[in-house]
Every structure is written in C-alpha cells, then in structure tokens.
Amino acid sequence: MVPRHPNLLCTLRNLLVLLLTSAEDLDCTPGFQQKVFHINQPAQFIEDQAVLNLTFSDCEGNSKVHYEVSSPYFKVNHDGSLVALKNVTAVGKTLFVHARSPHAEDMAELVIVGGKDIQGSLQDIFKFARTSPVPRQKRSIVVSPILIPENQRQPFPRDVGKVVDSDRPEGSRFRLTGKGVDQEPKGIFRINENTGSVSVTRTLDREAIATYQLFVETTDVNGKTLEGPVPLEVIVIDQNDNRPIFREGPYIGHVMEGSPTGTTVMRMTAFDADDPATDNALLRYNIRQQTPDKPSPNMFYIDPEKGDIVTVVSPALLDRETLENPKYELIIEAQDMAGLDVGLTGTATATIMIDDKNDHSPKFTKKEFQATVEEGAVGVIVNLTVEDKDDPATGAWRAAYTIINGNPGQSFEIHTNPQTNEGMLSVVKPLDYEISAFHTLLIKVENEDPLVPDVSYGPSSTATVHITVLDVNEGPVFYPDPMTVTRQENISVGSVLLTVNATDPDSLQHQTIRYSIYKDPAGWLNINPINGTVDTTAVLDRESPFVHNSVYTALFLAIDSGNPPATGTGTLLITLEDVNDNAPVIYPTVAEVCDDAKNLSVVILGASDKDLHPNTDPFKFEIHKQAVPDKVWKISKINNTHALVSLLQNLNKANYHLPIVVTDSGKPPMTNITDLRVQVCSCKNSKVDCNAAGTLHFSATSVLLVSLFSLACK
C-alpha cells in the first residue's frame, strides 16, 4: 500500500497539466482541423438541424471566434455546429465557412455530393484556394488573405488580421504599403509596426474596390528592408446593398394579334451592382401588375430567370379588333437573393403593343353608288365609302381601288383619300352626252397589305357605280382649227380668202350658227355672218407690224342659237408672200472729210430693204451723173450690201450734196435716190473745224472707221 502524500500529488498533477499544455502549445496549428468535408445532398436541409460539426482553433482559447457562411440559408453556432436557418433543398455544390478570431482565421469547404450549381463557384468570393488560407510553411513573414465585409459601421479603426514573423530580429518593425495605404485611396489600412496587427480605418465599398493588393515587409530602425515585401490580399466581402435596376428603358415590345400561346414578346434585363458570384446579384423576375386586366388579368408570363415575356392566352383572346385597348402596360419587378423575401427589388414598366394583321377585308358600305356629271366637265364625281376593322395606321386598313369594268376609253380614274380611306372617282377625259348619256363602272377594293391566308375578298369588296351624263349647250367647233391660207401681199381689196366651217356638237338640238370677227389687229378682214366667207377690206402688207414672220393671225367666233347661246373660237393664219414693193434705203446720209486729207475715202454706205430675198440684195450703188461732175467723186462696190464713196481730188472747205442711186434685185427692180451730205472741214493741229462748212461733226477719218467697223460686223 502506497502512502498518501497530498502535497506531492498536487505537485505532480500541476506538473502533468503544465507538460500537457506545453505539448499542446507546441503542436497547435491555428485554423480548421479538417479543411474539406463531403456530405450527400439530402432531400431537404431541415431548419435548426445540425449538418455537421466543425473544429476551429486559434491556439489562444477561441475566446472571440466569429463564423461566416457563404450561403444565407446556414449559420455556424459557437460550438462549431453548422445548422440550416430554414427548410431548403438546393443550395449549390459547395459551401464555404470562414472563421476569424483576433489571433487566427481560416476557411473550410463543404462539398455537397449531388448538389446543383446555382450561381457559379462561390469560392470566387474569397479569391483563394482552400489549400492556402492559413500559414503552413516555415517562413519568416507569414500572411493570410484578409476578408472584410463591406459597409461595416463604427467603431474604427478595427483589427481585421495579423502578420506573423517568427524570426523577426529584435527592434525590427512591420511596414505596410500599396493601394489603400500609401497610394490612393490612402489611409484605409494600417499596420501596428510592433505587433503586425492590420486594421481598417473606414467603411469599405465592394462596388467601388473589390480587392486591395498590399505588401508587408520588416525593416530596421533606419527603415531599411530586412525581409519582404510579401503580398497581402484584402478581399471585400459583398453585402446585398444594391437594388436591381433596369437601365435600358423604355421597354416596348410588339406581338402580332392571334399569335400562338407561348410567343416571346420581349426580354427584360435588370442590373445589380453586387457581386455576380453571389445570390446578392442573382435576380428573379415577376409581373406585379397588368393594365388593362381584360380580357384576362394574366395575358403574359415572364420567365423568372431569363426575363423573357411570353403570351399565355389563346390566339382567340389576342384579337386586336375585340380588345378594349391594344396596348398593355406591365409592371415588372426584379428581386435579388434569387427572389427570396429578404431580397431587394427594382421595377420597370414594359409596354406591349398588339400589332394588327390583315385579317379583315375592306367592304363597301353599299352595293351601288350613283353619280351625275355634266358633259365636258372633269374632276371628282363621287366618293365611295368602305369599312375595315383593321388598324387605320397600317396597310391592312388602307384601301386600294381598281376599275375592273366599264372604262374602255380610260375616261375615269379612282384614287384613295388618305385621310378617309374613301375612293375618289374622277372624270379625267370629258364625257360627251351625244355619244353616251349613261356609264356603268364595276369597282373592286383591296388592302395595300395582303390578307392572311384564311381570309379572302368577298362580294362586298366590289361595287357598281351608275353615272348619268347631263347635256349642256356646247359651243360650235371650227374645223380645221387653226385654218391656214397663203396669199400675196397687196392683193386687191375685196379678195376672198376662204370660207370657214364650224359645226355644233349638240347634234340633237338642230341649232343655227352665225359668224363674227373676234380679233383682226390690222382691220383687213370681213366675214359673212351666215356662210362664213372671209374677204379683205384693205391691202394686205407683209411688212406691217401686225405681221410676224410673214404670218397674220385673226380670230373668229361661231355662235349657236341656244339659250343661252354657246360660242366657239377659230383661228385663221394668213401666210403673206412677198412682192417687191419697198425701195432700198442707204445709210449714213452725212459724212465728213478733211480738206487736206491724204486718204480721199469719204464714207462707206450700206443699204437695207424691207422686202425678202430675192427682192433685196445684191444692191447696185451709183452717183447721179446728171447732177455731179464725173472727175470729183467716185463710188466703188464693196459687197452685195455696201459701197465706198471717195474723192478724186481735195476740195475746199464747204458742204456738198451728192445724190446716190441704189437699186434692188427685184423684178421689176425698185430704185431710190438719196442725197449724201458731205462736209469738207479744215483739219490742222489735230483740230477739226467745220464751221464754214456747217454744224460741227466728227472727223471724216472717224466716220470712215465707224463705217468700216459696221461693215465688218455684217
């Protein structure tokens, strides 16, 4: 029997506890003791029922351990048990559990065998593999990625992680650099240079910056780097802080009436700024309201995942002509968190137009239309009305009319009134009562767009138009018109030119016709009012200003005996043949020459004649020999219309009259004698003095140059 020694036993017990504790501290590795778990997908995860137990240690007693689960349907209790928050079936293929205390943090992965992936790999949230969340290697500076939820509240700063350097020399310091520390945005993170504790100084926004790439190094007291830099990644964990928004409006869709059930109308797509790898941005769509709610409150359905809006009523209900309003407005809601009640929502309005198709043929409002028109008139005589139930803004409503019978002379045309859709029947060629007093047209109407296959044009798409032509008293008509006659000018007064002929189109009325002169500009003509004989009352002159290009124009009236009388107008064109009845005339009739001129040329004469060839040029120029000495003047032919007058010797300063004889080539010819007044002037020191000879004139040289220029122009 071993004697009892209480003091010795207590000492041994304390020593054993100390040894065990020391051994535990030496062997303790912070983090989850098992990194990966596999469970089979159950029929349902039951609310508050434990799924499995997780073992996490920070090697410091786990005094302030905080757990986060990647799925909103689960939580981890303080004892490490993972439980469901509600009954749920599909949660994806993988869950991640993040554990963090002031001394350590780690990540565990739960693989659900047979689970379905609902939104990509949730491992992307944390941006690092399951094999490297906790330091395992023997190295001096050891860092783990830091995960920080966005939108954290005060107090700040707060510790979010820690850097460990097992071989850090005494007196060395930690230094943190990178975007968010000493680069913009500056001052978000800082590190305790002695302990390596990393803290955040303000609220983070994942939608602004999702990750921060920092660097840790150790330095001596002078700031010289001893080890590092080692990368440190800070990952901002997404919170559901953004509502879905519809950014692409207005949303307008079209669907043809009578479309089959399930026809896709349009797609609604919302945007959520939260992390697309999480349920925070997993959207579901539904229709909150439909206006109007007739004939069914559920005319459309939206695919909750894709946002496609489709028809759900039968084609018969989707009939534009029977709908109260062919435009529907849907309030579409998008909700994140896969549509759970905790999700945020955003709404937009979708406008859906029920488009018309040509499923109704146009129909005349009556089978027969009546119209009257006076003979000789043109224009619209009747408007044909139709009915069409299709959309007035489309080619399914717009009518196109065609005359299919009764219009052999193309006297009628029909056009559509674009405002009323009526057919405007017009007379385009004047009708003659004496030829036909009645016309019957057969007209059909169709749409611009073709009818749908199961609809056709029936008897109501044709109509008959009866047209009555009213007789009017028409004016007599000259035949031919214009009337033409050719005569020589200067024929004797009283000569008969022709007898005009006018007939009355109103052959059934047996009316008489009287004639009169309407326009006779020169007053040369007379007409017999009974028989229409036209004779002359004066000499016809081709050279008269009332004659143009040898043609004289006169107008006559033919008046019937109707009540009131009707008048017709006829035109007479008289072509006048030329006779040699005009003598030629010379130009100019005045000339100057210097008394001491060395050039004895005086002037170039031209001649003109009102008659036509051959009663004009060539002209013959002569000096009247009986009145002028032969040895003083001379005239020489230049061409058929001009001649040169020159001196044979110088003359004293004085005025001289030289009779010039000019004769045309007519048969018989006609001659004219014209006095040419020649002024002989004194020309000294570039001054021309004609005072003694008469009125002051230009020099003879200037006159000669002008005459030569005129000749050259001809």
Side-chain angles (χ1 to χ4, degrees):
M1 182 173 183
V2 180
R4 295 185 178 180
H5 299 283
N7 293 335
L8 179 59
L9 291 175
C10 289
T11 302
L12 290 173
R13 186 189 63 186
N14 292 337
L15 179 60
L16 180 60
V17 170
L18 178 63
L19 290 173
L20 291 174
T21 303
S22 299
E24 181 181 350
D25 291 341
L26 290 175
D27 295 337
C28 181
T29 300
F32 283 105
Q33 303 308 302
Q34 181 177 342
K35 301 297 182 182
V36 181
F37 299 86
H38 292 80
I39 65 170
N40 293 322
Q41 167 73 46
Q44 187 177 50
F45 290 97
I46 307 302
E47 182 178 358
D48 293 332
Q49 180 176 314
V51 178
L52 72 140
N53 290 319
L54 304 168
T55 302
F56 173 83
S57 175
D58 63 359
C59 299
E60 296 290 342
N62 287 358
S63 60
K64 294 182 179 180
V65 177
H66 175 70
Y67 295 95
E68 291 177 337
V69 185
S70 61
S71 171
Y73 308 129
F74 297 90
K75 72 174 182 178
V76 177
N77 293 324
H78 186 70
D79 62 359
S81 60
L82 176 69
V83 297
L85 295 176
K86 59 183 294 186
N87 295 338
V88 63
T89 55
V91 297
K93 293 181 178 180
T94 308
L95 296 179
F96 292 91
V97 178
H98 176 228
R100 176 166 56 88
S101 75
H103 307 288
E105 62 179 304
D106 197 2
M107 184 78 68
E109 179 180 2
L110 175 60
V111 178
I112 301 174
V113 179
K116 295 183 179 179
D117 192 356
I118 59 172
Q119 183 65 22
S121 174
L122 292 175
Q123 184 178 346
D124 294 340
I125 302 171
F126 306 106
K127 301 286 194 319
F128 61 95
R130 63 178 181 265
T131 57
S132 60
V134 196
R136 295 296 183 198
Q137 306 168 16
K138 296 294 184 178
R139 60 184 181 183
S140 181
I141 299 179
V142 179
V143 297
S144 296
I146 298 175
L147 287 78
I148 307 174
E150 64 173 335
N151 303 325
Q152 286 183 323
R153 298 180 179 179
Q154 294 284 355
F156 289 107
R158 67 168 66 193
D159 291 341
V160 293
K162 188 173 183 180
V163 177
V164 178
D165 188 346
S166 58
D167 297 328
R168 183 162 65 97
E170 184 176 353
S172 64
R173 302 173 180 176
F174 289 103
R175 181 164 63 190
L176 188 64
T177 59
K179 180 179 178 181
V181 182
D182 57 349
Q183 301 175 21
E184 293 294 340
K186 295 180 180 179
I188 297 178
F189 304 99
R190 62 191 184 189
I191 190 169
N192 187 307
E193 62 182 14
N194 295 318
T195 66
S197 178
V198 179
S199 59
V200 63
T201 64
R202 69 187 75 163
T203 299
L204 303 182
D205 183 1
R206 191 205 67 85
E207 285 69 47
I209 302 177
T211 62
Y212 295 85
Q213 298 295 330
L214 309 181
F215 296 92
V216 180
E217 57 186 348
T218 57
T219 66
D220 60 17
V221 293
N222 297 319
K224 181 179 179 181
T225 301
L226 299 177
E227 183 178 353
V230 175
L232 169 61
E233 184 176 29
V234 177
I235 301 167
V236 183
I237 301 175
D238 186 43
Q239 303 293 319
N240 192 20
D241 58 346
N242 289 277
R243 292 182 178 275
I245 58 174
F246 292 88
R247 303 190 298 186
E248 302 174 358
Y251 296 91
I252 300 176
H254 294 263
V255 62
M256 189 69 68
E257 64 171 329
S259 295
T261 303
T263 299
T264 300
V265 180
M266 60 192 299
R267 170 170 288 187
M268 299 287 289
T269 303
F271 168 78
D272 194 312
D274 289 320
D275 189 347
T278 69
D279 286 353
N280 296 337
L282 182 59
L283 304 183
R284 293 294 182 262
Y285 300 92
N286 70 90
I287 299 175
R288 293 290 302 274
Q289 181 180 333
Q290 171 191 301
T291 305
D293 59 358
K294 300 291 191 303
S296 168
N298 300 305
M299 298 286 289
F300 305 95
Y301 165 79
I302 187 168
D303 186 301
E305 295 185 4
K306 297 180 180 178
D308 290 339
I309 299 176
V310 299
T311 62
V312 294
V313 295
S314 66
L317 288 181
L318 210 61
D319 184 358
R320 185 188 173 281
E321 286 73 37
T322 61
L323 292 176
E324 176 182 325
N325 189 339
K327 180 174 76 172
Y328 286 87
E329 290 189 348
L330 308 180
I331 304 300
I332 305 299
E333 179 185 74
Q335 187 170 28
D336 58 22
M337 296 301 294
L340 294 178
D341 292 341
V342 296
L344 303 178
T345 62
T347 61
T349 299
T351 301
I352 299 178
M353 307 298 299
I354 311 301
D355 292 338
D356 187 38
K357 64 180 180 180
N358 198 8
D359 55 351
H360 294 86
S361 62
K363 298 178 181 180
F364 283 103
T365 57
K366 51 186 178 181
K367 288 299 296 180
E368 295 185 348
F369 294 84
Q370 305 292 330
T372 58
V373 59
E374 291 184 346
E375 64 173 331
V378 295
V380 177
I381 59 174
V382 66
N383 290 316
L384 310 183
T385 54
V386 296
E387 294 178 344
D388 195 316
K389 295 181 180 180
D390 291 313
D391 185 358
T394 66
W397 177 82
R398 291 190 292 269
Y401 298 87
T402 306
I403 302 173
I404 58 177
N405 195 15
N407 190 29
Q410 305 301 309
S411 300
F412 302 93
E413 287 183 358
I414 189 166
H415 300 281
T416 305
N417 185 319
Q419 280 74 42
T420 65
N421 215 30
E422 295 176 346
M424 301 182 296
L425 181 63
S426 303
V427 176
V428 294
K429 293 182 181 180
L431 303 177
D432 191 341
Y433 172 83
E434 283 70 32
I435 296 177
S436 177
F438 299 97
H439 296 268
T440 300
L441 304 179
L442 185 61
I443 297 176
K444 72 174 181 180
V445 62
E446 297 178 339
N447 289 130
E448 290 183 4
D449 292 348
L451 295 173
V452 296
D454 55 341
V455 178
S456 60
Y457 295 104
S460 297
S461 297
T462 59
T464 302
V465 182
H466 300 286
I467 303 165
T468 301
V469 182
L470 303 178
D471 187 24
V472 297
N473 188 21
E474 302 170 86
V477 178
F478 284 89
Y479 182 82
D481 189 30
M483 301 160 282
T484 59
V485 66
T486 301
R487 293 289 186 274
Q488 280 192 345
E489 63 174 334
N490 298 339
I491 60 174
S492 59
V493 175
S495 298
V496 175
L497 299 179
L498 81 163
T499 297
V500 299
N501 179 38
T503 58
D504 192 342
D506 300 308
S507 57
L508 303 179
Q509 298 184 22
H510 306 291
Q511 300 180 123
T512 60
I513 297 176
R514 293 181 62 84
Y515 300 97
S516 65
I517 294 176
Y518 179 45
K519 286 186 179 180
D520 179 16
W524 291 342
L525 306 176
N526 175 63
I527 188 169
N528 187 303
I530 304 301
N531 60 23
T533 299
V534 179
D535 56 12
T536 62
T537 60
V539 176
L540 307 183
D541 183 7
R542 194 199 64 81
E543 290 76 33
S544 167
F546 299 107
V547 177
H548 302 284
N549 296 324
S550 301
V551 177
Y552 180 70
T553 302
L555 300 179
F556 298 95
L557 297 178
I559 307 169
D560 66 19
S561 57
N563 185 21
T567 301
T569 303
T571 301
L572 173 61
L573 302 178
I574 305 174
T575 301
L576 297 176
E577 296 177 341
D578 185 45
V579 297
N580 196 16
D581 56 351
N582 290 278
V585 295
I586 66 167
Y587 58 89
T589 58
V590 177
E592 293 178 356
V593 65
C594 293
D595 55 1
D596 58 351
K598 295 181 180 180
N599 183 358
L600 298 180
S601 298
V602 178
V603 67
I604 293 176
L605 297 178
S608 63
D609 195 319
K610 293 182 179 180
D611 293 318
L612 298 177
H613 188 78
N615 296 322
T616 56
D617 61 272
F619 299 114
K620 181 180 179 183
F621 296 89
E622 298 175 290
I623 299 174
H624 199 290
K625 295 182 180 180
Q626 296 180 357
V628 180
D630 290 339
K631 296 183 180 181
V632 178
W633 305 93
K634 176 183 178 183
I635 190 166
S636 305
K637 178 180 178 181
I638 297 177
N639 55 30
N640 289 343
T641 58
H642 291 78
L644 174 64
V645 176
S646 59
L647 288 169
L648 298 177
Q649 62 185 35
N650 288 325
L651 297 178
N652 294 329
K653 184 178 179 182
N655 287 337
Y656 298 88
H657 293 274
L658 183 64
I660 302 297
V661 181
V662 60
T663 305
D664 63 24
S665 298
K667 294 182 180 181
M670 294 196 71
T671 300
N672 181 26
I673 300 176
T674 304
D675 276 347
L676 175 65
R677 185 161 67 94
V678 180
Q679 294 177 303
V680 180
C681 306
S682 174
C683 304
K684 295 181 179 180
N685 299 324
S686 301
K687 293 183 180 180
V688 178
D689 182 10
C690 299
N691 288 337
T695 308
L696 179 64
H697 295 281
F698 293 100
S699 68
T701 303
S702 299
V703 174
L704 180 61
L705 289 174
V706 172
S707 300
L708 287 171
F709 181 78
S710 300
L711 178 62
C713 291
K714 283 184 173 293

PDB file of all heavy atoms in Angstrom, residues 623-634 648:
ATOM      1  N   ILE A 623     -23.668 107.079-158.563  1.00  0.00           N
ATOM      2  CA  ILE A 623     -23.785 108.533-158.352  1.00  0.00           C
ATOM      3  C   ILE A 623     -24.590 109.102-159.516  1.00  0.00           C
ATOM      4  O   ILE A 623     -24.313 108.805-160.679  1.00  0.00           O
ATOM      5  CB  ILE A 623     -22.401 109.201-158.277  1.00  0.00           C
ATOM      6  CG1 ILE A 623     -21.607 108.624-157.086  1.00  0.00           C
ATOM      7  CG2 ILE A 623     -22.526 110.722-158.152  1.00  0.00           C
ATOM      8  CD1 ILE A 623     -20.172 109.115-157.029  1.00  0.00           C
ATOM      9  N   HIS A 624     -25.613 109.913-159.156  1.00  0.00           N
ATOM     10  CA  HIS A 624     -26.463 110.504-160.218  1.00  0.00           C
ATOM     11  C   HIS A 624     -25.595 111.423-161.069  1.00  0.00           C
ATOM     12  O   HIS A 624     -25.188 112.501-160.634  1.00  0.00           O
ATOM     13  CB  HIS A 624     -27.631 111.275-159.582  1.00  0.00           C
ATOM     14  CG  HIS A 624     -28.762 111.508-160.530  1.00  0.00           C
ATOM     15  ND1 HIS A 624     -28.683 112.370-161.593  1.00  0.00           N
ATOM     16  CD2 HIS A 624     -29.999 110.957-160.565  1.00  0.00           C
ATOM     17  CE1 HIS A 624     -29.834 112.374-162.238  1.00  0.00           C
ATOM     18  NE2 HIS A 624     -30.669 111.504-161.632  1.00  0.00           N
ATOM     19  N   LYS A 625     -25.286 110.972-162.289  1.00  0.00           N
ATOM     20  CA  LYS A 625     -24.301 111.662-163.131  1.00  0.00           C
ATOM     21  C   LYS A 625     -24.793 113.009-163.640  1.00  0.00           C
ATOM     22  O   LYS A 625     -24.012 113.894-163.961  1.00  0.00           O
ATOM     23  CB  LYS A 625     -23.920 110.770-164.308  1.00  0.00           C
ATOM     24  CG  LYS A 625     -23.205 109.499-163.864  1.00  0.00           C
ATOM     25  CD  LYS A 625     -22.794 108.652-165.057  1.00  0.00           C
ATOM     26  CE  LYS A 625     -22.072 107.392-164.593  1.00  0.00           C
ATOM     27  NZ  LYS A 625     -21.665 106.560-165.744  1.00  0.00           N
ATOM     28  N   GLN A 626     -26.069 113.167-163.754  1.00  0.00           N
ATOM     29  CA  GLN A 626     -26.582 114.425-164.296  1.00  0.00           C
ATOM     30  C   GLN A 626     -26.412 115.574-163.317  1.00  0.00           C
ATOM     31  O   GLN A 626     -26.435 116.743-163.720  1.00  0.00           O
ATOM     32  CB  GLN A 626     -28.064 114.266-164.642  1.00  0.00           C
ATOM     33  CG  GLN A 626     -28.313 113.241-165.757  1.00  0.00           C
ATOM     34  CD  GLN A 626     -29.793 113.099-166.080  1.00  0.00           C
ATOM     35  OE1 GLN A 626     -30.626 113.721-165.423  1.00  0.00           O
ATOM     36  NE2 GLN A 626     -30.088 112.306-167.096  1.00  0.00           N
ATOM     37  N   ALA A 627     -26.197 115.284-162.037  1.00  0.00           N
ATOM     38  CA  ALA A 627     -26.130 116.366-161.060  1.00  0.00           C
ATOM     39  C   ALA A 627     -24.724 116.600-160.526  1.00  0.00           C
ATOM     40  O   ALA A 627     -24.495 117.581-159.825  1.00  0.00           O
ATOM     41  CB  ALA A 627     -27.061 116.055-159.884  1.00  0.00           C
ATOM     42  N   VAL A 628     -23.730 115.745-160.831  1.00  0.00           N
ATOM     43  CA  VAL A 628     -22.396 115.848-160.236  1.00  0.00           C
ATOM     44  C   VAL A 628     -21.339 115.653-161.319  1.00  0.00           C
ATOM     45  O   VAL A 628     -21.494 114.778-162.175  1.00  0.00           O
ATOM     46  CB  VAL A 628     -22.218 114.767-159.143  1.00  0.00           C
ATOM     47  CG1 VAL A 628     -20.840 114.859-158.511  1.00  0.00           C
ATOM     48  CG2 VAL A 628     -23.289 114.898-158.069  1.00  0.00           C
ATOM     49  N   PRO A 629     -20.249 116.458-161.250  1.00  0.00           N
ATOM     50  CA  PRO A 629     -19.153 116.279-162.232  1.00  0.00           C
ATOM     51  C   PRO A 629     -18.511 114.908-162.064  1.00  0.00           C
ATOM     52  O   PRO A 629     -18.386 114.407-160.947  1.00  0.00           O
ATOM     53  CB  PRO A 629     -18.173 117.406-161.871  1.00  0.00           C
ATOM     54  CG  PRO A 629     -18.978 118.409-161.106  1.00  0.00           C
ATOM     55  CD  PRO A 629     -20.052 117.663-160.407  1.00  0.00           C
ATOM     56  N   ASP A 630     -18.070 114.316-163.163  1.00  0.00           N
ATOM     57  CA  ASP A 630     -17.514 112.962-163.139  1.00  0.00           C
ATOM     58  C   ASP A 630     -16.136 112.889-162.495  1.00  0.00           C
ATOM     59  O   ASP A 630     -15.765 111.844-161.961  1.00  0.00           O
ATOM     60  CB  ASP A 630     -17.406 112.415-164.574  1.00  0.00           C
ATOM     61  CG  ASP A 630     -18.791 112.137-165.157  1.00  0.00           C
ATOM     62  OD1 ASP A 630     -19.734 111.992-164.337  1.00  0.00           O
ATOM     63  OD2 ASP A 630     -18.902 112.056-166.382  1.00  0.00           O
ATOM     64  N   LYS A 631     -15.352 113.979-162.517  1.00  0.00           N
ATOM     65  CA  LYS A 631     -13.956 113.906-162.095  1.00  0.00           C
ATOM     66  C   LYS A 631     -13.735 114.319-160.639  1.00  0.00           C
ATOM     67  O   LYS A 631     -12.608 114.532-160.235  1.00  0.00           O
ATOM     68  CB  LYS A 631     -13.094 114.787-163.007  1.00  0.00           C
ATOM     69  CG  LYS A 631     -13.083 114.315-164.453  1.00  0.00           C
ATOM     70  CD  LYS A 631     -12.158 115.165-165.305  1.00  0.00           C
ATOM     71  CE  LYS A 631     -12.140 114.688-166.762  1.00  0.00           C
ATOM     72  NZ  LYS A 631     -11.233 115.493-167.602  1.00  0.00           N
ATOM     73  N   VAL A 632     -14.791 114.402-159.816  1.00  0.00           N
ATOM     74  CA  VAL A 632     -14.637 114.790-158.411  1.00  0.00           C
ATOM     75  C   VAL A 632     -14.950 113.605-157.475  1.00  0.00           C
ATOM     76  O   VAL A 632     -14.244 113.357-156.528  1.00  0.00           O
ATOM     77  CB  VAL A 632     -15.552 115.989-158.083  1.00  0.00           C
ATOM     78  CG1 VAL A 632     -15.429 116.360-156.597  1.00  0.00           C
ATOM     79  CG2 VAL A 632     -15.185 117.178-158.959  1.00  0.00           C
ATOM     80  N   TRP A 633     -16.004 112.854-157.746  1.00  0.00           N
ATOM     81  CA  TRP A 633     -16.473 111.777-156.862  1.00  0.00           C
ATOM     82  C   TRP A 633     -16.384 110.414-157.540  1.00  0.00           C
ATOM     83  O   TRP A 633     -16.466 110.311-158.750  1.00  0.00           O
ATOM     84  CB  TRP A 633     -17.935 112.016-156.440  1.00  0.00           C
ATOM     85  CG  TRP A 633     -18.157 113.370-155.789  1.00  0.00           C
ATOM     86  CD1 TRP A 633     -18.546 114.525-156.391  1.00  0.00           C
ATOM     87  CD2 TRP A 633     -17.963 113.657-154.422  1.00  0.00           C
ATOM     88  NE1 TRP A 633     -18.634 115.550-155.497  1.00  0.00           N
ATOM     89  CE2 TRP A 633     -18.278 115.027-154.244  1.00  0.00           C
ATOM     90  CE3 TRP A 633     -17.572 112.921-153.290  1.00  0.00           C
ATOM     91  CZ2 TRP A 633     -18.199 115.673-153.015  1.00  0.00           C
ATOM     92  CZ3 TRP A 633     -17.513 113.559-152.084  1.00  0.00           C
ATOM     93  CH2 TRP A 633     -17.813 114.915-151.940  1.00  0.00           C
ATOM     94  N   LYS A 634     -16.279 109.413-156.657  1.00  0.00           N
ATOM     95  CA  LYS A 634     -16.213 108.045-157.164  1.00  0.00           C
ATOM     96  C   LYS A 634     -16.908 107.120-156.140  1.00  0.00           C
ATOM     97  O   LYS A 634     -16.764 107.291-154.942  1.00  0.00           O
ATOM     98  CB  LYS A 634     -14.761 107.604-157.326  1.00  0.00           C
ATOM     99  CG  LYS A 634     -14.591 106.143-157.775  1.00  0.00           C
ATOM    100  CD  LYS A 634     -13.120 105.773-157.850  1.00  0.00           C
ATOM    101  CE  LYS A 634     -12.935 104.311-158.235  1.00  0.00           C
ATOM    102  NZ  LYS A 634     -11.510 103.934-158.245  1.00  0.00           N
ATOM    103  N   LEU A 648     -11.802 112.154-155.832  1.00  0.00           N
ATOM    104  CA  LEU A 648     -10.704 112.014-156.804  1.00  0.00           C
ATOM    105  C   LEU A 648      -9.679 113.117-156.619  1.00  0.00           C
ATOM    106  O   LEU A 648      -8.568 113.031-157.152  1.00  0.00           O
ATOM    107  CB  LEU A 648     -11.252 112.016-158.222  1.00  0.00           C
ATOM    108  CG  LEU A 648     -12.212 110.849-158.553  1.00  0.00           C
ATOM    109  CD1 LEU A 648     -12.754 111.001-159.969  1.00  0.00           C
ATOM    110  CD2 LEU A 648     -11.507 109.522-158.394  1.00  0.00           C
TER     111      LEU A 648
END
